[in-house]
Amino acid sequence: MSTEKVAMPWQDRPEGHTEVLWRHSENPIIARDAIPTSNSIFNSAVVPFGDGYAGVFRCDNKAVQMNIFAGFSKDGIHWDIAHEPIQFAAGNTEMIDSDYKYDPRVTWIEDRYWITWCNGYHGPTIGIGYTFDFKEFFQCENAFLPFNRNGVLFPEKIDGKFAMLSRPSDNGHTPFGDIYVSYSPDMKYWGEHRCVMKASPFMDSAWQCTKIGAGPIPILVDEGWLMFYHGVINTCNGFRYSMGAAILDKDNPAVVKYRTQPYLLAPQTTYECMGDVPNVVFPCAALHSVEEDKVAVYYGAADTTVALAYGKLSEVVKFTIENSL
Amino acid sequence: MSTEKVAMPWQDRPEGHTEVLWRHSENPIIARDAIPTSNSIFNSAVVPFGDGYAGVFRCDNKAVQMNIFAGFSKDGIHWDIAHEPIQFAAGNTEMIDSDYKYDPRVTWIEDRYWITWCNGYHGPTIGIGYTFDFKEFFQCENAFLPFNRNGVLFPEKIDGKFAMLSRPSDNGHTPFGDIYVSYSPDMKYWGEHRCVMKASPFMDSAWQCTKIGAGPIPILVDEGWLMFYHGVINTCNGFRYSMGAAILDKDNPAVVKYRTQPYLLAPQTTYECMGDVPNVVFPCAALHSVEEDKVAVYYGAADTTVALAYGKLSEVVKFTIENSL
Amino acid sequence: MSTEKVAMPWQDRPEGHTEVLWRHSENPIIARDAIPTSNSIFNSAVVPFGDGYAGVFRCDNKAVQMNIFAGFSKDGIHWDIAHEPIQFAAGNTEMIDSDYKYDPRVTWIEDRYWITWCNGYHGPTIGIGYTFDFKEFFQCENAFLPFNRNGVLFPEKIDGKFAMLSRPSDNGHTPFGDIYVSYSPDMKYWGEHRCVMKASPFMDSAWQCTKIGAGPIPILVDEGWLMFYHGVINTCNGFRYSMGAAILDKDNPAVVKYRTQPYLLAPQTTYECMGDVPNVVFPCAALHSVEEDKVAVYYGAADTTVALAYGKLSEVVKFTIENSL
Amino acid sequence: MSTEKVAMPWQDRPEGHTEVLWRHSENPIIARDAIPTSNSIFNSAVVPFGDGYAGVFRCDNKAVQMNIFAGFSKDGIHWDIAHEPIQFAAGNTEMIDSDYKYDPRVTWIEDRYWITWCNGYHGPTIGIGYTFDFKEFFQCENAFLPFNRNGVLFPEKIDGKFAMLSRPSDNGHTPFGDIYVSYSPDMKYWGEHRCVMKASPFMDSAWQCTKIGAGPIPILVDEGWLMFYHGVINTCNGFRYSMGAAILDKDNPAVVKYRTQPYLLAPQTTYECMGDVPNVVFPCAALHSVEEDKVAVYYGAADTTVALAYGKLSEVVKFTIENSL
Amino acid sequence: MSTEKVAMPWQDRPEGHTEVLWRHSENPIIARDAIPTSNSIFNSAVVPFGDGYAGVFRCDNKAVQMNIFAGFSKDGIHWDIAHEPIQFAAGNTEMIDSDYKYDPRVTWIEDRYWITWCNGYHGPTIGIGYTFDFKEFFQCENAFLPFNRNGVLFPEKIDGKFAMLSRPSDNGHTPFGDIYVSYSPDMKYWGEHRCVMKASPFMDSAWQCTKIGAGPIPILVDEGWLMFYHGVINTCNGFRYSMGAAILDKDNPAVVKYRTQPYLLAPQTTYECMGDVPNVVFPCAALHSVEEDKVAVYYGAADTTVALAYGKLSEVVKFTIENSL
Amino acid sequence: MSTEKVAMPWQDRPEGHTEVLWRHSENPIIARDAIPTSNSIFNSAVVPFGDGYAGVFRCDNKAVQMNIFAGFSKDGIHWDIAHEPIQFAAGNTEMIDSDYKYDPRVTWIEDRYWITWCNGYHGPTIGIGYTFDFKEFFQCENAFLPFNRNGVLFPEKIDGKFAMLSRPSDNGHTPFGDIYVSYSPDMKYWGEHRCVMKASPFMDSAWQCTKIGAGPIPILVDEGWLMFYHGVINTCNGFRYSMGAAILDKDNPAVVKYRTQPYLLAPQTTYECMGDVPNVVFPCAALHSVEEDKVAVYYGAADTTVALAYGKLSEVVKFTIENSL
C-alpha cells in the first residue's frame, strides 16, 4: 500500500549489496512468540492506518490452530499485536463459518479496508471481510468454492468491478497452482475468471516451476500492476518458496507484461532456512512510496516469523522488465 | 425434465423384479459407434423438445477427444445425433475458450434451454451455454474457477437466482469430491457457495465413500428436489460408479432431507462392467411425468454407451425417504 | 473341513481337463442377489454340520456394508442363507465392537465351531467368535491389534495351544502382506508370532509377488498341513488374485515344506473376470474327504459371487510337492 | 515382414465395415493355453520362414514367469509352439544373463533373423539375439542400460548402421514413455540416440497421452517407414492400450512425417477387454505384401491371447497421412 | 521413573520463561559422537539404578545400523555409554531374532527392569527384554505381529496383568498411527487390545494430526497416568515431531481423561531443527520426583542427539487438565 | 586426479580428529554467490592444469537454471570462475542439444580433458565433451538414452576401450539408482553394460539404502580403482546424501572388491545441513598424490556451496578394506 502520509519503514541498501532487494538488518521483525499463545507469526499483512500502520497477522497458536489477529504500529517495524483473534460480525451474509483463517491480505478500496484470507470452509477457500477501524470486523460471503488459496484484491476497481487474484488448488499440500483473476460487481458474486500466469517450465525458471501465488496487494506503477508473488520448486527435500515480481496490464490484469525469470529473494538466511517449515520466503504485504521510490516487502520466513526486505520501486520495475521470462 | 406433452420412453417393470429401478430391455440404447467418428457415446443429456426430444451427447472421437453433439429423437430411445460437434457463438462473454467439453446437462429455465458441461479451461471447470432451438448455441462465462466437474442447474430460479450444483475437485482422477450449490443473479457472477453433501463414511455406505456428483437436472417433487447422483468407491481394481438419489429442501437445496444409503443402480450388466472404463453407471439426465408417476434415467455405461433405466417416481421418493443415510 | 459323515459336493473331472483343480459346472453356486438385500455374496466359509452343512457368508448389502450371515445346505451347493446378519452375544469379553465384518472362516475345534473374520475395530483386525449350533453366536476378544486380515485357525490345537494364521497389513488396499502364525493358550491372549511365508520374488512366481494370505482352514494330510492360499500380482490394471497351495510342517507350521510355484486356479472365466472387483479368485473354505480323496474349494469370484472348484486331494498334494517354489 | 513368397494370412474386409483395420473372424488365433504350461500367450512376433512362417512367442507359465518360445506355421494362423522356451548360446558376448524375457520382435537383416525382447538384467532392458534357422539361437550384448522396453529393429541398415527403436522407462508400471531411435555399427555398441516421438498432449489425442511404444518391425513404404505402435491412456480404472501408426522418414527415422491422431484399433471385443490385463491391444508383429496391398497385424489381447487384424497397406498409409496429429 | 532415592537432574526455570517445560541449558546432553562408532545417539531411555542411573541408548553407527547400548550415570546428565551394543540371551523364548533395535524404553516392574524397543522382525514390531543388573540381558517373545512401534510398558501391573501401549503402523514412514493398550498375563501372550487415543483432527490440534505415539513410561499421579507422547504434523517439507501430554484413567488406561491441545515442547532450537532428521522432538524417558514436584524428560533431538527438558510435575498435570483437547 | 606436478590443496588432520576424512577449516571454499548471477555453486569438478588447476563448476543462476562454467585456480582452493557458461562447439556430432547441464566431472585421458555431465535431452542423460585448453570446448554424442545421471569416466582406457560409470534412473527425484559400467571403442557408441553395485539393504548400511552414484574420477591404487561415491537414505524428512568409498577390480571394474559399510563423511555441519537442499554431501572430484599419500575430495554441500575434505590415501584404502560391506 502507498504510504504517502507516514514515514515508511526503511533502511538504505547495505554497502556492496548488488541485489534488487535487501533484507532488514534486524530480521525477523516479529518473533514467533510475540504474543503469549503463539507458536509462530508469519505470512501477515500491513496497511497504512491513521498516523501509522495497522496489520492483520497470522498467528498459529501452540495447538497449531491458524487464526488472524489485528495489530498496530507506529513505524511498521515494531508491532503491538492483539492477544485474541479477530472476531467477525456478519457482513453481506449470515454464513460466516470458518474452520481456520490464515495468510491474510489487506487493502483499502474506496471506503473501507478489505481483508482476504485463506478460509476453512470444507477445505481452504478465499474468505473476505472488511473493517473501517480495525476494531470492528465484518465477514462476507466466501469468494469461491473450495479449494483455493492466496486471494489478493486489487486496491481499486477495474472497469467498475472488484478484482481478485487467487490460486485454485486442491486440499492437501498442493503440488500445482497457477494465478487467476476474477471479478465481482458487489463483493458477493464472482465471475469472469481468467488465467493470469502459470508455474514456469523447469528449464526456464525452476524456482517457480511447481506452483505460484500472488503475494502483496498489487502496486500501480506506470508500467501496470506490480505484483510480487511466490514461486515454489519441489526439491528432493521438500518445497522451497522464493519471491519474484510480475507486471500486469493496468486495464486487463490477465495480461502479463513482464515476469522475473530470476527470483528477487530466496531463502538463504538462518531464519528463512530453519523453522517450522524450512526454506520459505512468502511475501504477503508491501508498503511503498512512489515519491520516495521505496518499497518494503513483508514476508513470512520459514512459516515461523515475519521479516522485511527493502528495494527501490523503480529498480524492481526495471529489473522485472529487463529479466522477464 | 418433465415430459407432460410427449410420450415418455417407458417399459413396465419386468415380472419378478423387486428393485426400485429396472433397466431398459434393449440397453444400451446408443451404441459407441452411433456416429462415424465416435469411439464412445455416453454421459449425455436429453430434454423434451417440440413433439419429441432433443439431446446433447458426449461423443469422444477416435482420438479420444471429448466434445458435445446435438441430437433429436421422437421417442427418447432412438436418436439422430449430429456428426459434427456443437459450435458455440459468444453468449454473455467473448471468452469462449474450450480445450474440451464433456458430460453435458440440459434444462429449460424461463425462456431457453441452458446447457452446462465440463469445460476445459486450464483444467476442468463448468461451462455454460444456451440455445432456443438446438440449432444455434451460445456460450457464456464459465461458472467457476477450475477445477470443477458435474455442474447441474436447477430447472427454475430459487429465491430469484439461478442455482447450480457442482463438484469442486482437482485436475486428475480426483480421489475426492463433494456436492456444493452456488447462486447467480445473472448466469455470469456466482456466489453464496454452500456445501450440500459429502462422500459418505466407508462404514455407512461404501459405494459412495470416495466421491459423489450430481447427475440429472433435479426433479421437483412434493418432498423437495429429487436429485439422482453418482457415488464412487475406490476398489483395489479402480473406481466403481453407482447411482443413488437424494431429496433436497425445496427452498434451500443445501439442506439434504433424505439420501439413499443403498444404491439405486450399480454396474452389473456386461455393458456396464466392460468397456473403456469398466464398472461405471453415470446418470446425466432424466425424463419424468408426475401424472404418470414415471421417471426414465439416462446413464453412461462403462464410459462407452448410453443406457436407460426406469422407475416409478413415487417409489423412488419413498425408497429414498425410507432408506436414508 | 473333513466331511466323513455326509456326501461331499462333487463333480468328476471333465473329460480332457488336465489341471489339478476343475470348476463346478454350474458356477457360481451362489448368486450375488441370493438374499434380497445383497449387493454381492462372496468370500464365505462352510463346514459340515449335522447331516449337511452350515456356512457363514459374507453378504455386502446395497449400501456396500459388509457383514456375515449364517446359512445351511443339504448338499453344500444349494444354500439357504439368513436374511439378517449374525448377532453376536458377548463371549470371553464385553468389548464386541465391530464396524464391519467380512471374509469369514469356520472350523470345529474340540467342542465348538470357531469363526474368524476381518473385524472392523479402528481398521481391520481379526475377530473371533464361536457357536455350538449356528443359532447362537458369541464374540471374543479380537486376536490382534489392527491392521490384520485373513485370520485362519488351525482345526486342532498344536502343542496344546490354539494356532492362527494371519496377514498383518495396513489399513488401505495394502500393497504388501505375508502370512504369519500366532499361538494362544486360551483364545484371548496371543503370542509366539512367527513368519510363515512371504510374497514371492517377481521372477520366481509373479502371481503371488505382491501379497499372499491364507484361505481355507488348513487340512491335515500325511505330509503336513495343506494350506490353500491366495496370491496377488499388481498389474497395470489393478490387483489379480489367484489360488495356490502350500504344505506346512505338522508340528511347526511356521516351516513351509512345499509351496506351489504355479497357481492352482487363476481368474479366467467371466464370473471371475467381471464383477465388482474383476479378476479375483479368493478361496475361503474347503471340504474334503481323505477316504474319497476329494477336496472341494469354495472361493469368492470377482468379489461378487461364490464359486466352487474340485480336486483329488492326493493330486493337490503331489502337485504341490512336485512344483514347489 | 514382407511375405512375397508365401500366402499371407488374410480375410477380406467384412461387409459394411468402415474402419481401416478389421479383426480376424476367429480371434483370438492363439489361445492362452495353447501349450500345456502356459497361463497366457500374447505379445508375440512372426516372420516369413521357408515355405511358411516362424514365430517367437511370449508364453507366461502358470507361475507367471515370462519367457519366449519358438513356433512354426504354414498359414500364419495355426501355430505349433514349442513346449520349452528358447535356449540361447553365447553370441557376441559371454554375458547372457536373463531374469526374464518378454515381448519379442523378429526381423531378417542381411544374413540372419534378429530377435529383440525385453530382457531382465537388473530390471527390463533390450535383449538381442539371432538365429539362422529357429533351431539354434545366440544371445548378444544387451543394447542399452536398464530401464528400457519395446526394442524394435529396423529391417535393414540405415546409413550403414543397425537402427533400433526403443522406449526408455523406469522399472515399474511406467506412467510415461516415448520412442527413441539408436544406432550401432556392430550390434554391440549403441549410440546416436534421438527422440522420435512422444506421448501426445491429452487434448490432442488422449488414447496415446500416457506413453507410447513401437510395435511391429517398421515396414518400408513409398512414404517412409510405416510404424505401428501402441499408445496408452491412464483411465481411473487403469491403463488402456490401443494401436496407431506413424510414418517416419526413410533416411532419418527420427523425423516423424505423419502420425495417426485417431487410433487404428482399440480394445472393444470381449477378448481384448477381459483377461489378465483388461483393455489391451498390443501389436508386436506384422506381415505384409506390397504387391497384394495387404497387411496383417499380430497383437496381444488383454495380455492373454494373440489376435490378428487385417488392412490394406495403402489405406493404412493414406489414413495415417490424412489423419495426422 | 520415580527418583526418590537419588538426586534428579534439574535446573530451575529460567527467569522470564513462561512455558510449562524448559530446556536444559547445556543441551544436547549427549553428543552424536559420544561413542567412537556412533553416527547419532537419540531416542533413549533412563531409569534410576543403584545410587545413580542406568540407561539404554539408541546409537546408530556410521553404517546407520540401529542398535541399543547400555550406559550409566551418576547425575543423569553425564553418561558413560558402552561401546558395544547389548547382547541378549534367550528369555522366555529361543526366538530372539532381531534385524535391528531402536527407540528403547525401560521400567522397573516388580522384580526386574523391563526393556521394550522397536525390534526388526520382518519389519518393525515391539521387542521385549529384561535385566536385573544392566549387565546380563534376556530377550523375550515379541509382543505383537509386525508392524508396530513405540511399545511402552506401564510401570506396574493393572488388574493383575502387564499392560503395554503401542502404535500399530505399516512398514515405511507411516503417515498414520494411533495409541493402543494391550494386556498380558505373562509377558508372552498379549490381548485385550484397546484403542486409547488417535491423531487429532487438523483443525483441533494440528501438531498431532498425522500420528501420535507414547513416549516415556507413564507416571502415576493423583489424576491417573501421566503419559508424555509425541505428535506429528506432515508439513510440505516433511514430518515435524512435537511433545504433548495426556492423563489416562488409572484403572482403565484406554480412557483418556485429559490431553493437551497445545504442545508442550516443539522443535525450535538449532539442535532440534538441524540434524539427520530436522524438526524432531521425540520423548522416550522421564525421571520424576513427586516429593520434589519435578519431572525431567529425555528426548531425542533431530534424530541426532539426546536433550533434556524440565518441568514441575504439578504444573504439567494442571496444564494438561486446563488445556485439554 | 593425480597432482604430481603441483602442490595439492591440503590441511593436516586436526588434533584429536579420529575419522578417515576431515573437513577444510575454511569450508565452504566457494560461496553460493561467487559469480554475480549465481544462486548456488556446488557439485563441481577440478583437475590439475598447467601449473595449477582448472575446474568445471555447476553454477545455478537465480532463475535456478543449471549450467556449467569453467574456472581456474593456483592452489585448488581459491577459484576464478567465468561469469558465462561454457559454450560448446560440435565434437563428434552435430546434435549438441542441451536443455540444462549439471554435476560435471573432468578427467584427462590420453590426449585431452574429457568432461561428462548430466545433460538435459528429453530428460537427464550423460553428456560428453572435451577440451584441450579449457578455452575451447567440444560436445559429443550423449552416451546413453535418458534417463541417466552421474556419468563418470575412468581416467584411462580399460582393455582398449573407454569406460564409464553411470546411474540409470527415472526423470523425477528418483527413489532408486545403482551404479553400472559401460564401454566404448570411440566415445560415440556404448555397450557391454554391467551392473557394478547396488543400493545396500537397509539393515546392512542404511545411509546408502535408497540409491547410490559414483562421485569423483576413480583413482588407481594398488588394490584397484578407488571410487568415492554418494549414498542416499530416504528419511521421513527427505533424502540425505553421504559419502563412501569402494575399490573396484582394476581390469574388470564391474567387480567390487571392497565397499565401505560406514560412510566416510555425512552431513553434520551447518553448511551441509542448511541450504537449498539440506543434508547433502555430494562428492564430484578428487585430487590426489600417491607420493604424498594425500587425497582432497571436493563435494557439493547442501546443493549450495563447494566444500573440501582431506584424507590420507592409504588410510582411505585401508578403511575401505577393513570396513567392507
Side-chain angles (χ1 to χ4, degrees), chain E residues 1 9 29-30 41-49 52-59 67-73 76-77 79-82 86 101-108 113-118 131 134 137 150-153 214-218 282-287 296-300 305-308:
Chain E
M1 301 306 306
I29 60 163
I30 303 178
I41 306 179
F42 58 109
N43 301 359
S44 300
V46 305
V47 70
F49 177 72
Y53 297 94
V56 179
F57 295 87
R58 171 178 178 175
C59 303
N67 214 329
I68 56 177
F69 294 65
F72 299 91
S73 172
I77 294 172
W79 287 88
D80 183 22
I81 302 175
I86 293 170
K101 297 186 181 76
Y102 63 78
D103 294 355
R105 273 79 165 186
V106 186
T107 187
W108 173 269
Y113 298 95
W114 289 94
I115 307 165
T116 56
W117 64 87
C118 182
T131 183
F134 287 90
F137 293 85
N150 296 304
V152 179
L153 286 165
I217 303 298
F282 192 95
C284 272
L287 298 171
V297 183
Y298 292 81
Y299 64 96
T305 59
V306 177
L308 194 47

Side-chain angles (χ1 to χ4, degrees), chain D residues 141-178:
Chain D
E141 281 286 333
N142 293 322
F144 309 118
L145 285 162
F147 307 96
N148 208 321
R149 291 181 179 88
N150 295 305
V152 179
L153 286 165
F154 281 81
E156 55 186 63
K157 285 185 176 173
I158 296 177
D159 196 22
K161 288 167 286 189
F162 294 101
M164 194 196 295
L165 301 164
S166 74
R167 197 203 61 189
S169 55
D170 67 14
N171 62 354
H173 284 310
T174 311
F176 61 89
D178 303 323

Side-chain angles (χ1 to χ4, degrees), chain F residues 164-204:
Chain F
M164 195 195 296
L165 301 164
S166 73
R167 197 204 61 190
S169 55
D170 66 14
N171 62 354
H173 285 310
T174 311
F176 60 90
D178 304 324
I179 299 176
Y180 289 73
V181 65
S182 305
Y183 297 90
S184 172
D186 53 11
M187 278 285 188
K188 188 163 186 178
Y189 301 100
W190 293 84
E192 294 177 287
H193 315 286
R194 295 293 181 275
C195 185
V196 177
M197 65 190 224
K198 302 199 153 200
S200 66
F202 173 82
M203 285 178 297
D204 295 341

Side-chain angles (χ1 to χ4, degrees), chain B residues 61-284:
Chain B
N61 69 14
K62 290 189 176 67
V64 191
Q65 295 173 301
M66 295 127 190
N67 215 330
I68 56 177
F69 293 64
F72 300 91
S73 172
K74 288 294 178 205
D75 60 4
I77 294 173
H78 302 87
W79 287 89
D80 183 22
I81 302 175
H83 290 198
E84 292 300 321
I86 293 171
Q87 297 298 322
F88 284 93
N92 66 10
T93 177
E94 293 304 310
M95 202 292 287
I96 57 171
D97 295 0
S98 182
D99 292 330
Y100 46 80
K101 297 186 182 74
Y102 64 76
D103 293 357
R105 275 78 166 188
V106 186
T107 187
W108 173 269
I109 312 176
E110 293 191 340
D111 62 347
R112 72 193 74 183
Y113 298 96
W114 289 94
I115 307 164
T116 55
W117 64 87
C118 182
N119 193 45
Y121 176 73
H122 304 282
T125 186
I126 307 304
I128 302 177
Y130 60 85
T131 184
F132 296 96
D133 52 12
F134 287 91
K135 290 179 190 155
E136 284 187 297
F137 293 85
F138 300 89
Q139 185 170 343
C140 300
E141 281 286 333
N142 292 321
F144 309 118
L145 285 162
F147 306 96
N148 208 320
R149 289 180 180 90
N150 296 305
V152 179
L153 287 165
F154 282 81
E156 56 185 62
K157 287 186 175 173
I158 296 178
D159 197 20
K161 287 167 286 187
F162 295 100
M164 195 197 293
L165 301 164
S166 74
R167 197 204 61 189
S169 55
D170 66 14
N171 61 353
H173 285 311
T174 312
F176 61 89
D178 304 322
I179 300 175
Y180 289 73
V181 65
S182 304
Y183 296 90
S184 171
D186 53 10
M187 278 285 188
K188 187 163 188 177
Y189 301 100
W190 292 84
E192 294 177 287
H193 314 287
R194 296 293 180 275
C195 186
V196 176
M197 65 190 225
K198 301 199 152 197
S200 68
F202 173 80
M203 286 179 295
D204 295 341
S205 185
W207 67 269
Q208 54 183 319
C209 74
T210 297
K211 55 180 175 176
I212 55 173
I217 303 298
I219 297 170
L220 193 56
V221 294
D222 289 347
E223 293 77 3
W225 293 105
L226 175 64
M227 176 184 73
F228 291 98
Y229 66 99
H230 67 263
V232 178
I233 182 171
N234 184 16
T235 80
C236 70
N237 276 357
F239 286 167
R240 183 170 177 258
Y241 287 73
S242 305
M243 187 199 313
I247 298 175
L248 313 180
D249 185 79
K250 182 182 172 178
D251 299 317
N252 181 4
V255 174
V256 180
K257 295 173 70 178
Y258 310 100
R259 171 185 180 181
T260 52
Q261 188 177 34
Y263 57 72
L264 292 179
L265 199 77
Q268 299 191 353
T269 66
T270 299
Y271 56 88
E272 292 158 351
C273 293
M274 202 164 77
D276 286 4
V277 182
N279 285 7
V280 177
V281 160
F282 192 94
C284 273

